[in-house]
Amino acid sequence: MSAQPSTQARVTVNSLRDKKAAGDRIVCLTAYDASFASVLDANDVDVVLVGDSLGMVIHGGDTTLPVTMDDMLYHAKAVNNGLSRAMLMVDMPFLSYTSVAMALDNAGALMKRAGAQMVKLEGGSDQCDIVSALTAHGIPVCAHLGLQPQRVHKIGGYRVQGREPSDAEHILSEAQALQQAGADVMLLECVPAALAAKITSELTIPVIGIGAGNRCDGQILVLYDVLGISAGRIPKFSKNFLQDSGSIADAIKAYTEAVRTGAFPADTETFT
Ligand code: KIV
């Protein structure tokens, strides 16, 4: 198997910004290997994330915490081999960015050794110095707010964030601080749709949602949820697109179309 050379230009931070400006929704999915990555690339997914969700869907763990830099490098390299058009975004794993020096080393490795075009990290304004340092050194950053799975033990479980007005205000101000620090993209996980819509309209950078309603600039899901093969219960905000499709490629097409038309997420897949 090898990725077919694409005639389309590679997705960049500029094309993501242009999509926000034009009101064209950004389609994102996770992948962990070259074969699935090439199916996503061929079916018009804009951003492929090598998520630390691999600790759960590939390794079968209960959390993302045990995932290492070696794991991320291994899967990111594989995914990169399957891409020719989509942007490759890679998660910084738990405790791999506790200082500026460590963040630069690890994000640099993801770019130099695995071909990452953007790294994603969890956290609020406590991460602004890391985000500033990475972006100052030419490393694009996606900041991840709302439910932050790397903090699952601190927040007491996988639960919707920002339902209380004071929490919602806090998430909005954290998003503004991270944008100010240089974040190129914002990812919001499991927040009420109205809060995600407000953050999307207030930020100039693209906002990607997962469990954040359909008024974000784009959507992301875990690929194995989309294919209905994740162990356990599929999250409320996700959807099995394979069950009504004839093939994996058709399932990805159905997902991209549903995101681009705004049909996904529907109210049933949204938190209030
Ligand atoms: O790790 C991951 O796959 C993620 C997505 C759920 C956004 O962060």
Side-chain angles (χ1 to χ4, degrees):
M1 194 286 312
S2 66
Q4 296 298 310
S6 169
T7 50
Q8 285 179 276
R10 194 93 197 228
V11 175
T12 64
V13 281
N14 294 346
S15 37
L16 297 183
R17 264 188 238 122
D18 290 348
K19 277 180 184 288
K20 178 173 178 117
D24 294 338
R25 289 193 178 86
I26 299 164
V27 182
C28 318
L29 273 174
T30 68
Y32 314 96
D33 70 31
S35 299
F36 276 123
S38 69
V39 176
L40 307 193
D41 198 78
N43 287 287
D44 220 17
V45 171
D46 299 306
V47 178
V48 175
L49 168 69
V50 182
D52 60 356
S53 52
L54 69 84
M56 301 170 86
V57 298
I58 302 286
H59 298 167
D62 289 339
T63 73
T64 60
L65 306 191
V67 175
T68 64
M69 272 301 296
D70 283 346
D71 293 330
M72 297 312 299
L73 285 164
Y74 176 88
H75 288 281
K77 273 187 213 164
V79 168
N80 192 35
N81 289 339
L83 301 182
S84 54
R85 182 196 52 79
M87 172 182 282
L88 175 60
M89 183 192 289
V90 183
D91 259 338
M92 304 279 290
F94 182 52
L95 299 185
S96 68
Y97 46 101
T98 57
S99 68
V100 166
M102 188 198 273
L104 282 169
D105 271 2
N106 286 328
L110 293 172
M111 295 190 84
K112 289 198 278 192
R113 293 168 54 197
Q117 292 167 270
M118 184 176 291
V119 299
K120 177 165 81 59
L121 52 83
E122 298 179 14
S125 50
D126 50 319
Q127 299 303 318
C128 283
D129 57 338
I130 304 284
V131 171
S132 298
L134 292 177
T135 56
H137 286 84
I139 300 175
V141 174
C142 172
H144 182 152
L145 281 177
L147 173 57
Q148 296 163 41
Q150 292 176 8
R151 295 173 192 219
V152 61
H153 296 309
K154 184 75 183 153
I155 59 180
Y158 297 102
R159 52 184 66 207
V160 178
Q161 304 292 307
R163 276 192 164 135
E164 293 301 320
S166 59
D167 294 340
E169 272 308 311
H170 181 67
I171 295 174
L172 172 59
S173 69
E174 296 282 73
Q176 287 164 330
L178 286 158
Q179 171 175 275
Q180 183 67 29
D184 299 277
V185 172
M186 182 66 53
L187 187 144
L188 295 177
E189 177 164 355
C190 291
V191 297
L195 172 61
K198 183 165 172 60
I199 293 173
T200 303
S201 72
E202 301 242 339
L203 295 195
T204 55
I205 59 174
V207 176
I208 309 298
I210 174 166
N214 72 0
R215 283 176 288 157
C216 299
D217 299 309
Q219 299 292 328
I220 187 163
L221 286 179
V222 169
L223 176 63
Y224 293 2
D225 290 342
V226 167
L227 301 180
I229 58 169
S230 300
R233 197 168 57 89
I234 185 167
K236 168 188 162 76
F237 57 78
S238 200
K239 181 171 172 179
N240 178 345
F241 282 87
L242 185 59
Q243 63 193 354
D244 297 322
S245 305
S247 67
I248 289 173
D250 283 348
I252 304 307
K253 282 193 189 102
Y255 169 70
T256 57
E257 157 119 6
V259 171
R260 290 209 168 99
T261 59
F264 177 83
D267 287 350
T268 46
E269 292 129 4
T270 296
F271 299 112
T272 50

